[in-house]
């Protein structure tokens, strides 16, 4: 009972600290991941010592959080997207990882780390944050731009490379005699068996199980099946001598690309976010802030060196896949941070004794520093990429001298907004989409639409979306007050566009028309009209 009470208290402290840190970071515009790591260091043994980890129960929950993160990556993984960007992914991704991992491995060995530890640290340092970069590109409406697509291709390569890196960890931590050729062959055989089973399971799940679950229309059964699949694949990977993390990634891939993928993602989301907080705060508790005061020059030099190395490597990689140097460097700054899975690899190695506690603290400090600077670097770098001449046929080439009437913007990507966007695209319009949720835009961004995540009441968001060049603006948001403010903002930057608005209540039509809308469709009026027609059919015409 004492263990349960201790675990409960620790979890409450971690979640409460994460809530406070996340709220502060959201207010000041900093990545919440930074807040989780910092607050973890504060409540850990190095400062306040609020969290007791003598029995390591919290670490078990943190590991489960890491598995859910990897499961989410697998769920979002798109083989079709990888193939579509393969010409950028293979060249750019391999170049970026090689140019970071090799020098970083050499530097780590020069500072006394073993070869195995240095290799793992080098590859961990080569990974960037897919979440942060994609979110920034979506907010600026650049996911379909030439430099945005190439950056996403490099990040996809890193996601794929995570699998062999996780397989590499057990070999690098091999105790006793060093691995022989037989060890590698055995690992290759086990990996091949696991890959074949993954392909078979994906086919079976997509062809038979998913249609059956969809027909039952039960969220509980979908959740239970997801948990059973996740646990079963992780256990199978463990039985084959592979890391459980590879199993979690594979479970996500098995469920990706079918009609239940989005539902599974939405069901798992609250659990994933909660356990992710535990994972990153727990990593932060292992950080000793006093070390910075012991080695300030070394850690500062390490941070600057890491930023220079990663941004330089990414710039070269982006140049090799067709960007000009200015654009490549601007986008390279956005890839200079260490990613979420860098922490996963580092913590895995530290837990297995491959990396010493001091080296682990140094790596965490440097990684944390890159994440703190990431928003500013991305914002500065993306300014270098604006109006770049590096456009190709697959990019979004919206120029002022093009026919404005062919450009349309849809604000609010709910059911109505999605249908309108698809219809306009079929009719030959260049469609731009705006929504507050990057999740709603993700599918359209993958299809090549110009997407911008943000509040359309902000003129800056409308400028990013190119609303001033659109001949047709459609506002489909659930709030009439928000629609009114959006129309006002649109008229402030575009006096000639035809604005069509959806509103809920008939009483607000006049206000929205007065603000500048050309047409307003009232849900209340349309519903009333439809119901009257049904009444006429049911009762018959009045004689």
């Amino acid at each position: 009972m004492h263990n349960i009470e201790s675990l409960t208290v620790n979890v409450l402290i971690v979640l409460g600290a994460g809530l406070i840190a996340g709220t502060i970071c959201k207010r000041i515009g900093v990545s919440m991941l930074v807040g989780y790591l910092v607050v973890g260091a504060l409540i850990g043994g190095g400062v306040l010592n609020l969290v007791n980890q003598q029995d390591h129960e919290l670490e078990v929950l943190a590991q489960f959080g890491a598995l859910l993160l990897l499961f989410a990556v697998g769920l979002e993984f798109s083989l079709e997207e990888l193939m579509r960007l393969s010409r950028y992914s293979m060249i750019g991704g391999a170049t970026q990882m090689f140019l970071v991992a090799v020098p970083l491995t050499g530097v780590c060995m020069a500072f006394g780390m073993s070869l195995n530890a240095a290799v793992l640290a080098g590859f961990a340092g080569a990974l960037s944050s897919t979440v942060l970069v994609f979110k920034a590109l979506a907010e600026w409406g650049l996911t379909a731009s030439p430099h945005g697509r190439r950056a996403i291709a490099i990040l996809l390569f890193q996601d794929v490379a995570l699998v062999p890196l996780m397989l590499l960890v057990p070999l690098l931590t091999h105790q006793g005699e060093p691995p022989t050729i037989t060890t590698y062959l055995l690992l290759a055989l086990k990996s091949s068996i696991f890959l074949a089973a993954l392909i078979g399971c994906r086919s079976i799940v997509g062809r038979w199980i998913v249609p059956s679950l969809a027909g039952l229309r039960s969220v509980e059964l979908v959740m239970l099946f997801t948990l059973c699949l996740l646990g079963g694949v992780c256990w199978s990977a463990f039985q084959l001598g592979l890391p459980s993390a590879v199993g979690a990634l594979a479970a996500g891939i098995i469920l990706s690309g079918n009609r239940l993928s989005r539902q599974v993602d939405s069901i798992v989301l609250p659990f994933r976010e909660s356990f992710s907080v535990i994972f990153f705060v727990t990593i932060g508790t292992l950080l000793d802030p006093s070390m910075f005061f012991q080695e300030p020059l070394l850690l500062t030099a390490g941070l600057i060196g890491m930023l220079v190395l990663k941004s330089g490597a990414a710039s070269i990689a982006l140049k090799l896949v067709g960007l000009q140097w200015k654009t490549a460097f601007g986008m390279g700054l956005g890839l200079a941070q260490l990613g979420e899975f860098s922490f996963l690899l580092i913590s895995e190695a530290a837990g297995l004794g491959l990396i010493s506690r001091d080296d682990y603290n140094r790596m965490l400090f440097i990684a944390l520093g890159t994440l703190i600077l990431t928003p500013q670097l991305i914002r500065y770098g993306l300014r270098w990429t604006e109006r770049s001449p590096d456009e190709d046929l697959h990019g979004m080439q919206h120029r002022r001298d093009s026919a404005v009437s062919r450009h349309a913007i849809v604000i609010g990507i709910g059911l109505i907004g999605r249908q309108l966007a698809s219809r306009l695209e079929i009719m030959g319009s260049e469609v731009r989409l705006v929504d507050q949720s990057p999740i709603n835009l993700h599918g359209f961004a993958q299809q090549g639409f110009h997407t911008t995540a943000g509040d359309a009441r902000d003129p800056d968001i409308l400028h990013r979306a190119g609303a001033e060049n659109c001949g047709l603006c459609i506002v489909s948001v659930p709030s009439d007050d928000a629609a009114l403010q959006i129309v006002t903002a649109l008229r402030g930057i575009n006096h000639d566009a035809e604005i069509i608005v959806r509103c809920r209540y008939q009483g607000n039509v006049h206000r929205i028309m007065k603000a500048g809308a050309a047409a307003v469709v009232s849900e209340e009026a349309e519903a009333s009209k439809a119901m009257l027609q049904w009444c006429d059919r049911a009762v018959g015409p009045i004689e």
Side-chain angles (χ1 to χ4, degrees):
M1 183 62 69
H2 174 72
N3 290 339
I4 295 177
E5 293 175 355
S6 175
L7 176 61
T8 302
V9 171
N10 284 337
V11 170
L12 286 175
I13 292 173
V14 166
L15 292 177
L19 173 62
I20 295 171
T23 303
I24 294 173
C25 288
K26 197 70 176 177
R27 291 277 186 183
I28 63 178
V30 176
S31 168
M32 288 193 289
L33 176 57
V34 174
Y36 298 151
L37 293 169
V38 171
V39 81
L42 293 176
I43 65 175
V47 183
L48 300 177
N49 196 26
L50 296 178
V51 177
N52 177 17
Q53 298 192 61
Q54 293 180 353
D55 297 322
H56 305 287
E57 302 100 332
L58 196 58
E59 292 181 12
V60 174
L61 292 179
Q63 290 172 5
F64 187 65
L67 294 181
L68 287 177
L69 279 173
L70 288 165
F71 175 75
V73 170
L75 200 60
E76 292 292 333
F77 183 79
S78 171
L79 184 60
E80 294 76 14
E81 184 178 6
L82 182 64
M83 294 300 295
R84 182 168 58 87
L85 299 174
S86 59
R87 61 189 177 123
Y88 304 140
S89 184
M90 295 301 295
I91 297 174
T95 300
Q96 184 270 343
M97 291 201 73
F98 178 81
L99 291 179
V100 174
V102 173
L104 195 54
T105 299
V107 170
C108 291
M109 290 182 65
F111 279 89
M113 293 178 65
S114 66
L115 175 61
N116 288 357
V119 168
L120 188 62
F123 280 107
L127 300 177
S128 300
S129 174
T130 302
V131 174
L132 292 180
V133 176
F134 187 85
K135 181 180 179 183
L137 289 172
E139 288 176 351
W140 283 75
L142 296 173
T143 52
S145 66
H147 44 280
R149 292 170 63 247
R150 287 163 172 82
I152 291 171
I154 290 176
L155 294 169
L156 280 174
F157 182 89
Q158 293 179 4
D159 290 342
V160 174
L162 185 64
V163 177
L165 288 178
M166 294 304 299
L167 293 173
L168 190 65
V169 172
L171 295 180
L172 294 177
T173 56
H174 187 81
Q175 303 296 325
E177 295 296 324
T180 63
I181 188 66
T182 305
T183 307
Y184 289 105
L185 289 174
L186 184 60
L187 178 62
L189 176 62
K190 291 179 178 179
S191 301
S192 300
I193 295 172
F194 188 75
L195 179 60
L198 186 154
I199 296 172
C201 287
R202 192 172 192 270
S203 177
I204 293 171
V205 168
R207 183 171 300 180
W208 288 296
I209 298 180
V210 166
S212 299
L213 286 173
L216 293 173
R217 300 182 181 276
S218 172
V219 175
E220 292 85 355
L221 292 177
V222 172
M223 184 64 191
L224 287 173
F225 173 73
T226 300
L227 291 176
C228 290
L229 179 68
L230 175 59
V233 178
C234 289
W235 178 82
S236 299
F238 179 77
Q239 292 299 312
L240 286 171
L242 305 177
S244 298
V246 173
L249 191 64
I253 294 174
I254 290 173
L255 283 174
S256 66
N258 59 62
R259 60 193 294 187
L260 286 182
S261 297
R262 289 189 177 275
Q263 185 178 6
V264 170
D265 191 35
S266 62
I267 291 172
V268 173
L269 179 65
F271 298 97
R272 185 182 75 216
E273 294 302 314
S274 300
F275 282 99
S276 295
V277 172
I278 296 175
F279 173 66
F280 288 114
V281 173
T282 301
I283 287 178
T285 61
L286 303 177
L287 185 65
D288 184 5
S290 64
M291 177 169 285
F292 178 79
F293 300 102
Q294 298 172 15
E295 302 174 325
L297 295 179
L298 175 63
L299 294 175
T300 302
L303 172 60
I304 296 173
M306 180 65 75
L307 292 174
V308 171
L309 176 62
K310 292 207 67 176
S311 59
S315 300
I316 294 173
L318 290 166
K319 173 61 178 176
L320 287 178
V321 293
L323 295 184
Q324 293 187 354
W325 276 115
K326 181 181 178 181
T327 305
F329 178 71
M331 196 67 249
L333 287 174
L335 299 176
Q337 77 289 135
L338 272 73
E340 297 85 355
F341 299 114
S342 300
F343 294 95
L344 181 62
L345 287 174
I346 294 171
S347 61
E348 184 88 1
L352 294 171
L354 183 62
I355 296 177
S356 68
R357 181 64 180 266
D358 288 344
D359 288 335
Y360 178 75
N361 270 283
R362 295 185 185 105
M363 292 178 190
L364 283 186
F365 267 112
I366 293 172
L368 184 59
T370 64
L371 287 171
I372 292 173
L373 295 174
T374 288
Q376 290 74 27
L377 290 174
I378 291 180
R379 193 175 297 115
Y380 180 74
L382 288 179
R383 290 197 183 101
W384 283 45
T385 65
E386 289 186 303
R387 298 180 180 88
S388 166
D390 299 304
E391 295 173 327
D392 58 17
L393 292 177
H394 300 282
M396 300 302 293
Q397 301 182 23
H398 301 298
R399 304 176 186 226
R400 290 183 178 272
D401 58 354
S402 62
V404 171
S405 61
R406 291 178 57 82
H407 291 172
I409 185 170
V410 178
I411 300 171
I413 311 304
L415 175 62
I416 298 172
R418 289 196 297 269
Q419 293 177 342
L420 290 170
S422 298
R423 174 64 64 88
L424 289 170
E425 198 269 339
I426 292 172
M427 295 170 66
S429 296
E430 297 281 351
V431 185
R432 309 172 186 188
L433 309 177
V434 180
D435 197 274
Q436 285 188 311
S437 171
I439 296 175
N440 291 344
L441 296 169
H442 181 67
F444 285 96
Q446 289 181 318
Q447 297 174 34
F449 282 82
H450 184 294
T451 61
T452 304
D455 191 341
R457 290 173 289 188
D458 183 355
D460 184 49
I461 297 296
L462 295 176
H463 279 299
R464 290 185 192 176
E468 66 273 20
N469 296 328
C470 293
L472 175 63
C473 301
I474 295 177
V475 181
S476 178
V477 295
S479 168
D480 288 358
D481 289 336
L484 177 64
Q485 295 174 52
I486 292 171
V487 171
T488 303
L490 281 169
R491 276 290 174 243
I493 64 173
N494 190 330
H495 300 288
D496 303 319
E498 185 173 8
I499 303 177
I500 301 174
V501 184
R502 154 208 173 189
C503 81
R504 300 190 67 180
Y505 302 110
Q506 181 66 22
N508 293 324
V509 171
H510 178 70
R511 295 170 56 210
I512 297 175
M513 292 286 289
K514 188 176 180 180
V520 180
V521 178
S522 166
E523 295 177 15
E524 194 173 48
E526 292 300 314
S528 175
K529 179 180 178 181
M531 294 183 75
L532 286 172
Q533 289 175 348
W534 279 107
C535 287
D536 289 342
R537 293 179 186 178
V539 177
I542 300 176
E543 296 181 359

